[in-house]
Amino acid sequence: MSFHLAVDIGGTQLRAALYSNNHEIPIKLARTTTQGDNQTPQVRLIKLISSIMPAEEKVLAVGVAAPGPVDPDLGLLLEAPNIPGWENVPLQQLLESHFHVPVAVGNDANMAALGEWKYGAARGHHHVLYLTISTGIGAGVIIADQLLLGSRGLATEIGHTTIQPDGPLCGCGQRGHLEAFASGTAIVRWVQEELARGIASSLPTGQRLTGKLITEAAQNGDTLAIAALERSGRYIGLALANLVLIFNPTAVVIGGGVSQSGYLLIDPICRALNLFVMSPAYVRDLVVTTAKLGDEAGLLGALALARSINPD
Ligand SMILES: [Zn+2]
């Protein structure tokens, strides 16, 4: 029997999983913290992978979902905003020289897109646009069954496209990006501003406010929380009205923590998309749906990447 191994590197957690042919449920799964025991994340990563690497049987390839922009030709992680000091990490070279197995590396949003396309909500589609709405906004695009990377692997940074010049400050340091209007962070910030203005709500003020609490309050009918998700959805729908003109997908998949609000986010997205789109031809056969794989999306995308470089 032969295997593929998938790795998901997060800011707080490392996960590795071993899969046998044609299965998407791992036969082995291991996790550990990204930092700790005075070890570098590289050392912890190699230990974690070693703990599930089969001794006797063959691993055909390793796929890695990395938390930042990746040079796809070199498998080089350029930077990792959530892992201090991690810059220009040659992940592919590091793992290939240690394990003597082909390794491919992709950024986590692209890997989640790949996972949802191969094994999740967009299975069977050939043209897919994936957005993950959480602390920030990440994206991945599949066109004609190919993940779109661009010349240096930096394509489809949709969260940092400009919606309004001089708008609110984005996580990247610029202003007015989609992420600054519609991410989980932006939703919390807007609700805090509304509460400070004296708008009535069941939500707490200050530090205790989180995206999860806002989603729960919206599900319980809180008007301000519903309005916050509607506002986010409207900006995402506006962005999509532009993006469908460029990519002409048949599926739009919305993942990330904020997507757990379901129709409370998807309905305003669809309303804005239909309102702003240039022609109904772009939305007639378009499916807009929430992601299916949850936390597993990055890992399963890394599995799809591993299978693509060295199939069964
Ligand atoms: Zn930005």
Side-chain angles (χ1 to χ4, degrees):
M1 192 183 272
S2 56
F3 299 93
H4 289 89
L5 206 147
V7 179
D8 189 9
I9 303 175
T12 54
Q13 191 176 233
L14 304 172
R15 285 187 297 168
L18 186 69
Y19 299 87
S20 59
N21 306 8
N22 304 317
H23 287 84
E24 282 79 57
I25 299 192
I27 52 171
K28 281 187 185 172
L29 180 67
R31 65 181 73 210
T32 188
T33 53
T34 307
Q35 323 246 13
D37 302 334
N38 286 320
Q39 293 166 333
T40 62
Q42 288 94 314
V43 167
R44 299 180 67 74
L45 185 63
I46 285 173
K47 275 190 177 175
L48 184 75
I49 295 171
S50 302
S51 74
I52 61 163
M53 186 66 84
E56 304 290 323
E57 287 163 300
K58 191 169 171 58
V59 168
L60 292 172
V62 176
V64 181
V70 171
D71 182 315
D73 298 324
L74 301 175
L76 175 74
L77 176 63
L78 302 174
E79 56 177 314
N82 296 322
I83 306 178
W86 246 35
E87 260 175 51
N88 295 314
V89 184
L91 284 170
Q92 182 183 335
Q93 191 190 37
L94 182 81
L95 299 179
E96 281 185 346
S97 64
H98 192 93
F99 294 107
H100 309 291
V101 169
V103 175
V105 185
N107 94 51
D108 47 12
N110 277 345
M111 291 305 97
L114 212 51
E116 290 291 344
W117 167 50
K118 281 284 181 186
Y119 309 120
R123 196 193 280 239
H125 287 263
H126 305 291
H127 310 278
V128 179
L129 206 159
Y130 170 83
L131 287 180
T132 171
I133 319 289
S134 55
T135 313
I137 293 185
V141 175
I142 284 110
I143 294 294
D145 295 328
Q146 290 285 325
L147 182 66
L148 190 64
L149 293 170
S151 65
R152 296 203 57 220
L154 305 176
T156 69
E157 277 292 354
I158 289 162
H160 300 286
T161 53
T162 305
I163 293 288
Q164 183 189 304
D166 308 320
L169 194 63
C170 184
C172 71
Q174 304 251 22
R175 287 189 173 274
H177 292 173
L178 176 62
E179 180 173 304
F181 285 99
S183 66
T185 311
I187 290 171
V188 169
R189 183 167 60 190
W190 184 79
V191 168
Q192 280 169 336
E193 285 166 7
E194 293 299 291
L195 289 171
R197 287 202 310 126
I199 303 294
S201 170
S202 62
L203 286 162
T205 52
Q207 291 295 319
R208 290 188 298 128
L209 192 56
T210 62
K212 192 163 179 277
L213 278 179
I214 293 171
T215 294
E216 284 167 8
Q219 283 162 344
N220 291 326
D222 185 272
T223 314
L224 179 61
I226 291 169
L229 291 172
E230 272 179 0
R231 177 179 177 275
S232 168
R234 183 175 163 88
Y235 281 113
I236 295 164
L238 167 66
L240 285 176
N242 293 326
L243 294 167
V244 296
L245 306 189
I246 300 168
F247 298 115
N248 190 199
T250 58
V252 170
V253 179
I254 309 290
V258 178
S259 72
Q260 283 168 15
S261 48
Y263 74 93
L264 290 165
L265 183 72
I266 298 293
D267 284 359
I269 287 176
C270 291
R271 278 200 299 276
L273 170 58
N274 290 324
L275 181 68
F276 294 120
V277 75
M278 186 254 291
S279 157
Y282 289 95
V283 291
R284 196 170 290 138
D285 302 316
L286 181 66
V287 177
V288 181
T289 183
T290 49
K292 265 196 183 156
L293 302 178
D295 268 356
E296 300 298 302
L299 210 49
L300 284 169
L303 170 65
L305 183 66
R307 284 178 173 165
S308 75
I309 61 162
N310 198 7
D312 293 329

